[in-house]
Amino acid sequence: IALHNAKKIGDDQCSFFSHELSEIALHRQRLITELKSTDVFQHFKTVYQPQLSISDQSITGVEVLIRWIHPELGFISPEDFIPIAEDIGAMPNISRWVITNAKKELNETNLIPEKIKRVSINISARELNIEEQAQNLHQVFKENLDFAKICQIEITETTAIYDITTSQKFIESLKELGLKFSIDDFGTGFTSLSNLKNLPVDELKIDRSFIDKIETENNSQIIVKSVIDLADNFGIKSIAEGVENENQLIFLKNCGCDEAQGYYFAKPMGIEDLKKFMAA
Ligand code: C2E
Ligand code: MG
Ligand code: MG
Ligand code: MG
């Protein structure tokens, strides 16, 4: 887009745009180099966001979210660095770190398995699609079998699950370890209804963008209600992400949605704050 605009505006502007482009390329290259090094783990952190049952507002589980606090660049969003990590094949090591770090922190605070009965971990669809990476994931959970039994994988999609049979095979082998599965951001990703038919998942997670517009857009209401009914008809659970106010919660409750997560209840927090939150 920048190059296209540069052409339209004129040659004198061109150097400005190409300069901007090389800045982006340099930034990406820097992140690539750092993501390839094991030093990066020193600056990773896991935060936890509670998930609640809509009927009685009890806590059903927590979602683990990664944070990269860069010593020079500050906070780098997972939305920016996860796709890069996927491109360079760094996800297996990152997932291993997330799983073992969450297990360690939750164990140390005695929150699992009594107080927190389910831990949701985000895993890229691409990881489940590459034989070697999926096997690595299976290995990590096999080494942490007690933890695996309370874990649920949220399949996040930055690209389509292009080879459904590979994913299906690994989802089944992970389910044998006791893991549960959820489709994250359902309705915005690439999981079509025909894929859903072949995926043995336990939950659909409705994307925040629909919850956001529940109060103002009739179409979003229809989509949210349909996804809840779809999950119900499949005999699996539904959860809404990004719930920020009571009106949204009431709508979800009236539609029969099972669970909710969002700033209305709690923001993602470090382990110490989670401990306090669970005690309160
Ligand atoms: P996601 O799994 O759909 O996570 C939900 C995102 O929404 C999180 O952003 C969370 O902090 C944010 N959120 C939660 N409640 C609310 C709310 O009420 N309002 C608003 N506005 N936002 C809310 P975050 O932590 O920046 O993560 C972004 C995405 O990065 C995640 O989306 C997930 O796809 C990916 N991600 C995060 N951690 C990991 C990880 O460990 N592994 C992988 N593969 N992906 C991860
Ligand atoms: Mg998620
Ligand atoms: Mg999500
Ligand atoms: Mg989302």
Side-chain angles (χ1 to χ4, degrees):
I1 292 167
L3 276 178
H4 178 75
N5 286 342
K7 252 193 188 137
K8 275 202 307 205
I9 294 165
D11 283 347
D12 52 331
Q13 296 275 336
C14 230
S15 59
F16 167 74
F17 283 108
S18 61
H19 176 69
E20 200 174 65
L21 273 183
S22 63
E23 287 274 290
I24 295 169
L26 273 176
H27 180 69
R28 184 184 159 90
Q29 197 48 54
R30 177 174 183 179
L31 297 191
I32 287 176
T33 310
E34 297 192 11
L35 285 167
K36 279 183 177 164
S37 152
T38 50
D39 293 345
V40 76
F41 293 113
Q42 293 171 37
H43 307 293
F44 281 166
K45 186 185 166 189
T46 44
V47 290
Y48 306 85
Q49 189 178 30
Q51 301 178 326
L52 290 92
S53 156
I54 291 183
S55 59
D56 63 4
Q57 305 217 353
S58 63
I59 290 160
T60 50
V62 289
E63 176 178 10
V64 183
L65 295 154
I66 194 169
R67 293 289 173 262
W68 183 2
I69 321 290
H70 194 286
E72 284 148 31
L73 304 171
F75 173 81
I76 306 173
S77 167
E79 310 215 39
D80 293 330
F81 76 82
I82 295 285
I84 299 176
E86 288 179 349
D87 286 347
I88 61 167
M91 283 320 289
N93 285 340
I94 292 178
S95 292
R96 175 181 281 274
W97 184 86
V98 167
I99 294 160
T100 51
N101 194 63
K103 176 192 152 177
K104 178 173 137 279
E105 290 191 339
L106 292 165
N107 262 329
E108 279 169 3
T109 47
N110 287 321
L111 287 172
I112 50 171
E114 276 82 30
K115 286 192 176 138
I116 291 171
K117 300 212 173 327
R118 193 189 63 216
V119 180
S120 290
I121 308 270
N122 290 288
I123 298 289
S124 313
R126 270 165 89 175
E127 237 177 307
L128 289 171
N129 237 288
I130 302 167
E131 184 107 18
E132 224 184 285
Q133 299 198 2
Q135 263 160 8
N136 169 78
L137 194 64
H138 189 271
Q139 184 59 31
V140 175
F141 280 115
K142 213 170 143 188
E143 288 164 19
N144 299 281
L145 209 53
D146 285 341
F147 190 55
K149 288 189 179 117
I150 64 164
C151 278
Q152 170 161 280
I153 288 179
E154 291 189 3
I155 307 178
T156 60
E157 295 177 310
T158 50
T159 52
I161 303 180
Y162 42 90
D163 176 9
I164 196 87
T165 46
T166 304
S167 303
Q168 208 179 331
K169 190 175 93 191
F170 284 109
I171 291 175
E172 264 149 22
S173 76
L174 285 161
K175 286 193 84 139
E176 280 167 21
L177 299 180
L179 283 142
K180 292 211 163 3
F181 278 86
S182 174
I183 301 200
D184 210 340
D185 306 325
F186 190 75
T188 58
F190 295 87
T191 305
S192 66
L193 292 181
S194 67
N195 283 345
L196 195 58
K197 179 183 77 163
N198 296 315
L199 291 173
V201 297
D202 307 276
E203 179 188 273
L204 298 183
K205 191 164 190 183
I206 309 164
D207 190 61
R208 185 172 82 220
S209 60
F210 301 117
I211 309 303
D212 228 26
K213 296 186 199 106
I214 271 181
E215 294 155 281
T216 51
E217 268 189 26
N218 190 240
N219 283 349
S220 288
Q221 293 188 356
I222 293 169
I223 291 168
V224 169
K225 176 137 190 29
S226 303
V227 175
I228 294 166
D229 288 344
L230 180 67
D232 199 35
N233 291 335
F234 267 113
I236 62 177
K237 277 192 333 183
S238 53
I239 180 167
E241 68 172 19
V243 177
E244 293 185 353
N245 64 53
E246 196 180 1
N247 286 340
Q248 294 167 339
L249 181 65
I250 292 168
F251 181 85
L252 291 163
K253 189 172 187 166
N254 289 339
C255 292
C257 189
D258 297 308
E259 294 183 17
Q261 177 182 353
Y263 296 170
Y264 180 62
F265 304 105
K267 287 196 172 178
M269 53 192 122
I271 191 71
E272 286 307 319
D273 287 332
L274 181 69
K275 206 172 142 185
K276 286 180 209 148
F277 180 86
M278 294 302 294

